[in-house]
């Protein structure tokens, strides 16, 4: 994939986020999109070597659309300034669709590569299930948190909109209560690649996914 060209395209799009510019540059987009799809296809194959459950993920459905949903947003920019994908065992990428834990990555207009694993802002019923799983498998969850490779790459789980008090139905002295307060169960890391394009971007992304696998596998057990 021509990563430098992708970053340049996204940078220009961020400065010209309108339909006229996009239509004029649609041939560039089509080429880059096809290359990105090839990358995702290769990622699914490589991830399947340590996580066979994602082998059936449809790469085309793993890609996010570049068009923004503007219905409920004050920002009326029609296009996203990222190329992104979420690879899941279910083949569904959105939490609202019941996609479950995902391997997610994107490249943005600033040349930032984000690699993540887990579940970001799952819907209420799913979040409750995960929280209950933390209680039911406190020891297993503790092992995930202490996993050496996960900690070295990501540190701790990301704190996204953490509750001040325990959610309804959970005791304040429950094991891992500070994690139960979280609204997401996800890890991620960001790397600036604009000045130094990775020699093998796919290899770097897969390495990040492999380190996130213990969390993804544990979340799959939450049913």
């Amino acid at each position: 994939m021509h990563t430098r060209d992708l970053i340049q395209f996204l940078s220009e799009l961020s400065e010209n986020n309108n339909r006229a510019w996009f239509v004029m540059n649609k041939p560039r987009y089509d080429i880059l999109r096809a290359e990105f799809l090839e990358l995702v296809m290769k990622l699914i194959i490589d991830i399947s070597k340590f996580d066979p459950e994602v082998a059936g993920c449809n790469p085309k459905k793993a890609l996010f659309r570049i068009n923004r949903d503007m219905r409920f947003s004050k920002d009326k920019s029609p296009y996203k300034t990222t190329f992104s994908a979420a690879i899941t065992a279910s083949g569904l990428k959105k939490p609202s669709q019941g996609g479950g834990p995902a391997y997610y990555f994107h490249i943005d207009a600033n040349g930032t590569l984000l690699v993540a694993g887990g579940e970001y802002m799952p819907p209420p019923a799913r979040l409750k299930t995960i929280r209950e799983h933390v209680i039911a498998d406190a020891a297993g969850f503790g092992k995930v948190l202490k996993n050496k490779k996960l900690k070295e790459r990501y540190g701790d789980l990301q704190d996204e909109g953490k509750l001040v008090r325990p959610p309804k139905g959970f005791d304040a002295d429950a094991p891992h209560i500070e994690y139960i307060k979280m609204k997401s169960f996800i890890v991620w890391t960001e790397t600036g690649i604009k000045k130094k394009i990775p020699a093998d971007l796919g290899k770097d992304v897969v390495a990040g996914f492999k380190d996130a696998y213990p969390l993804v596998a544990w979340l799959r057990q939450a049913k």
Side-chain angles (χ1 to χ4, degrees):
M1 187 178 76
H2 294 87
T3 307
R4 195 177 303 280
D5 292 346
L6 172 57
I7 295 171
Q8 180 63 35
F9 173 83
L10 292 172
S11 177
E12 292 177 29
L13 175 58
S14 68
E15 297 174 359
N16 304 274
N17 203 324
N18 60 76
R19 178 170 171 73
W21 184 90
F22 190 83
V23 170
M24 288 290 293
N25 288 271
K26 184 68 161 44
R28 293 172 64 194
Y29 168 77
D30 289 339
I31 292 171
L32 292 167
R33 181 80 170 182
E35 291 181 350
F36 194 71
L37 176 61
E38 288 183 9
L39 172 62
V40 172
M41 292 171 64
K42 181 66 164 56
L43 289 176
I44 291 172
I45 293 171
D46 290 342
I47 296 168
S48 298
K49 294 174 182 177
F50 62 84
D51 185 358
E53 292 197 36
V54 305
C57 182
N58 185 328
K60 290 184 178 180
K61 292 185 178 180
L63 271 61
F64 285 90
R65 297 172 68 243
I66 198 166
N67 301 79
R68 293 182 63 251
D69 184 350
M70 300 180 290
R71 291 174 299 172
F72 309 108
S73 175
K74 293 181 180 179
D75 181 1
K76 298 304 179 183
S77 301
Y79 304 106
K80 301 171 187 173
T81 54
T82 61
F83 266 35
S84 56
I87 298 166
T88 67
S90 68
L92 303 172
K93 58 180 174 284
K94 295 182 179 180
S96 59
Q97 297 173 331
Y103 300 103
Y104 172 87
F105 80 107
H106 74 222
I107 298 172
D108 69 15
N110 296 317
T112 300
L113 168 66
L114 182 145
V115 177
E119 294 191 46
Y120 179 76
M121 301 295 283
R126 174 60 183 165
L127 181 57
K128 185 174 185 291
T129 297
I130 296 171
R131 287 167 169 168
E132 290 173 344
H133 187 45
V134 172
I135 300 295
D137 186 29
F141 184 65
K143 288 182 180 180
V144 172
L145 297 176
K146 294 177 182 178
N147 182 275
K148 183 179 179 181
K149 291 186 177 180
L150 186 143
K151 285 180 65 67
E152 286 179 351
R153 184 176 295 270
Y154 298 104
D156 204 352
L157 270 64
Q158 305 298 333
D159 184 358
E160 288 288 301
K162 186 176 178 181
L163 298 174
V164 176
R165 297 181 179 83
K168 185 177 180 180
F170 293 86
D171 296 331
D173 59 352
H176 304 299
I177 189 60
E178 293 305 311
Y179 292 94
I180 290 172
K181 292 178 183 178
M182 290 183 171
K183 296 181 180 180
S184 294
F185 284 76
I186 193 167
V187 291
W188 77 68
T189 182
E190 293 181 316
T191 307
I193 61 172
K194 185 174 183 178
K195 293 183 179 180
K196 187 178 181 181
I197 303 297
D200 190 337
L201 178 67
K203 183 178 179 180
D204 291 355
V205 173
V206 168
F209 289 161
K210 189 173 183 179
D211 290 343
Y213 173 68
L215 175 61
V216 171
W218 182 87
L219 286 166
R220 284 202 192 116
Q221 298 170 12
K223 298 178 180 177

